[in-house]
Amino acid sequence: EHPYGEHPSRTLFVRNINSNVEDSELRALFEQYGAIRTLYTACKHRGFVMISYYDIRAGRSAMRSLQNKPLRRRKLDIHFSIPKDNPSDKDINQGTLVVFNLDSSVSNDDLRHIFGAYGEVKEIRETPHKRHHKFIEFY
């Protein structure tokens, strides 16, 4: 399902960028697929930019829709950002919260309702031996 066997990510590595393209042009093009968290263009003169979305589905959608699309006479070459071998704390589990000390009366539906106010919940997972801990993953 994923080109080149890449693992989906909220961050896209976009190559073959024309150095004359305006940041506002890039933002307008990519924000059609979802809210952009960061747009890193400091290396635009070297032919690439990084675009991070809040929602992983936006990254997937942008990649599918814009792969090989021309922008200022250059075809965009888009890849999911590859995680570092030793990711820093800020890079791990993005989009996942761990809730501790939950009362057994709190259901997954309750959690979905509470945390759904902050974004669409993708999945709620339990740890096998700690039923009072739950992982809440957002898209």
Side-chain angles (χ1 to χ4, degrees), residues 21-36:
V21 71
E22 297 292 333
D23 290 5
S24 58
E25 216 176 328
L26 286 167
R27 183 172 293 281
L29 180 64
F30 282 88
E31 73 185 356
Q32 296 175 67
Y33 302 94
I36 293 175

Side-chain angles (χ1 to χ4, degrees), residues 79-92:
H79 300 270
F80 291 118
S81 178
I82 299 165
K84 301 175 198 82
D85 287 339
N86 296 308
S88 67
D89 288 343
K90 71 180 179 62
D91 293 329
I92 11 186

Side-chain angles (χ1 to χ4, degrees), residues 2-55:
H2 308 295
Y4 315 110
E6 294 176 7
H7 186 70
S9 167
R10 286 177 173 79
T11 301
L12 299 178
F13 178 65
V14 184
R15 299 189 312 190
N16 205 27
I17 293 288
N18 184 318
S19 60
N20 295 322
V21 71
E22 297 292 333
D23 290 5
S24 58
E25 216 176 328
L26 286 167
R27 183 172 293 281
L29 180 64
F30 282 88
E31 73 185 356
Q32 296 175 67
Y33 302 94
I36 293 175
R37 181 175 177 215
T38 57
L39 176 64
Y40 176 79
T41 59
C43 292
K44 189 169 51 175
H45 66 283
R46 291 176 49 206
F48 73 89
V49 298
M50 305 278 285
I51 298 161
S52 294
Y53 289 96
Y54 288 101
D55 189 320

Side-chain angles (χ1 to χ4, degrees), residues 42-79:
C43 292
K44 189 169 51 175
H45 66 283
R46 291 176 49 206
F48 73 89
V49 298
M50 305 278 285
I51 298 161
S52 294
Y53 289 96
Y54 288 101
D55 189 320
I56 195 167
R57 296 170 297 182
R60 273 190 234 161
S61 180
M63 182 186 210
R64 265 195 301 266
S65 300
L66 297 175
Q67 188 66 268
N68 295 315
K69 293 281 189 221
L71 176 64
R72 295 232 180 165
R73 295 192 288 279
R74 286 195 176 181
K75 287 184 176 181
L76 298 176
D77 180 18
I78 305 173
H79 300 270

